[in-house]
Amino acid sequence: MTTPPPSDSGRWSDLYTRVLSGAVMVVVGLWAVWMGQDVFHVFVALVCGAMVWELVLMLSPATRQIALQLGALAGAAVLLAIYLPAIFALPVLIAPALVGFGQLKQNRMIYLVFTALVLLAGYGMMSVRDDLGFIWMLWLVLVVVITDIAGYFAGRMIGGPKFWPSISPKKTWSGTSAGWIGAGIIGLIFALYTDTGLELVAISMIVAFASQLGDIAESFIKRKMGVKDSSSLIPGHGGLLDRFDGMLGASVFLLVLMQFIGFPPGLV
């Protein structure tokens, strides 16, 4: 017997809640980005701490007290790191990953790698805002957001072959490609507005791909642990890891780009 396709109402049933809670996140996030400095640092630290808390609860649900402690330690570490010289920041960022590796009894390697990713991403976001300013932090946010939105709508309206069905069964090639195109358009707009080179279009598309890899990495963890969402903190979206997973991959990629090649193109 053939299973009927989902109705339009079922396919879009979560759209209102998703848009409403997403709008609140955008307003709060943009306010923090606009304020910059200490306000943005504290905002990123809180988000990173909450993501590590969610991660620990996914990997080891019985360790609620440890999850709270590691989340607090992670938030404090990333907040401290941004005020330190870079040579001292890296050990501080890695410390919560090592501490948790020693405390957890299961899935320790996943915790170690993903916590390091979370904290490096948080440090990368703060570095972009501090060193490059509001415009380039806005560019990064828009690239990640448009990648997600374009992928969401294209995947549902067009569908087609799955991108990586064994890890992320909902993601399609149509949605993935739409994300790259959307990011490229954002890159073109910013290239024209800031008088940087058109290399920004290609960089934006690569950042989009990095954000999708962050999404896939989190999907792998959820699939392995048999959970749908990282938590239920955000109605219609799940947890902070579910919303910031793309930013993790994008921020770490941009941090590496800033350190080894230079960014933005044409102005370095």
Side-chain angles (χ1 to χ4, degrees):
M1 180 177 178
T2 303
T3 302
S7 65
D8 287 343
S9 59
R11 181 180 298 176
W12 303 101
S13 60
D14 64 338
L15 184 58
Y16 176 77
T17 302
R18 185 182 179 94
V19 169
L20 182 61
S21 56
V24 173
M25 285 190 294
V26 167
V27 170
V28 174
L30 283 178
W31 172 77
V33 172
W34 173 258
M35 295 297 293
Q37 295 300 319
D38 295 338
V39 172
F40 186 61
H41 297 166
V42 171
F43 172 76
V44 171
L46 290 173
V47 170
C48 288
M51 286 194 287
V52 171
W53 169 75
E54 290 178 340
L55 177 65
V56 176
L57 289 182
M58 278 197 297
L59 299 178
S60 185
T63 56
R64 292 188 173 274
Q65 186 63 31
I66 293 177
L68 188 60
Q69 293 170 353
L70 291 175
L73 178 61
V78 74
L79 183 60
L80 174 61
I82 197 62
Y83 294 104
L84 296 175
I87 192 172
F88 298 113
L90 184 58
V92 171
L93 292 170
I94 298 301
L98 297 176
V99 171
F101 184 83
Q103 287 189 311
L104 297 180
K105 303 300 182 184
Q106 54 188 354
N107 300 308
R108 298 194 301 168
M109 187 56 67
I110 295 177
Y111 169 83
L112 178 71
V113 173
F114 216 81
T115 296
L117 174 66
V118 167
L119 297 187
L120 286 172
Y123 183 80
M125 283 187 281
M126 291 188 289
S127 297
V128 170
R129 180 61 181 91
D130 290 354
D131 299 340
L132 303 180
F134 173 79
I135 288 296
W136 290 108
M137 188 64 217
L138 179 63
W139 163 80
L140 177 61
V141 170
L142 287 176
V143 166
V144 174
V145 169
I146 292 301
T147 298
D148 184 56
I149 291 175
Y152 177 84
F153 283 100
R156 280 158 176 73
M157 291 189 295
I158 301 174
K162 303 300 182 181
F163 179 73
W164 201 336
S166 62
I167 293 179
S168 187
K170 291 185 178 181
K171 290 178 176 56
T172 62
W173 272 105
S174 61
T176 301
S177 302
W180 297 342
I181 294 170
I185 293 172
I186 294 296
L188 178 60
I189 293 171
F190 273 76
L192 297 175
Y193 176 76
T194 60
D195 291 326
T196 54
L198 290 178
E199 307 99 294
L200 186 62
V201 175
I203 292 174
S204 298
M205 296 177 76
I206 297 172
V207 168
F209 181 59
S211 76
Q212 290 167 341
L213 290 180
D215 191 353
I216 289 172
E218 197 237 356
S219 295
F220 165 76
I221 294 175
K222 290 191 296 186
R223 195 166 182 82
K224 179 177 177 61
M225 302 313 301
V227 298
K228 180 179 182 293
D229 298 315
S230 60
S231 76
S232 57
L233 284 177
I234 309 171
H237 291 267
L240 286 170
L241 269 172
D242 297 314
R243 284 301 86 217
F244 283 87
D245 50 5
M247 186 62 77
L248 298 182
S251 297
V252 170
F253 171 78
L254 192 58
L255 179 63
V256 172
L257 191 69
M258 290 169 61
Q259 297 300 316
F260 293 98
I261 300 177
F263 183 88
L267 298 181
V268 296

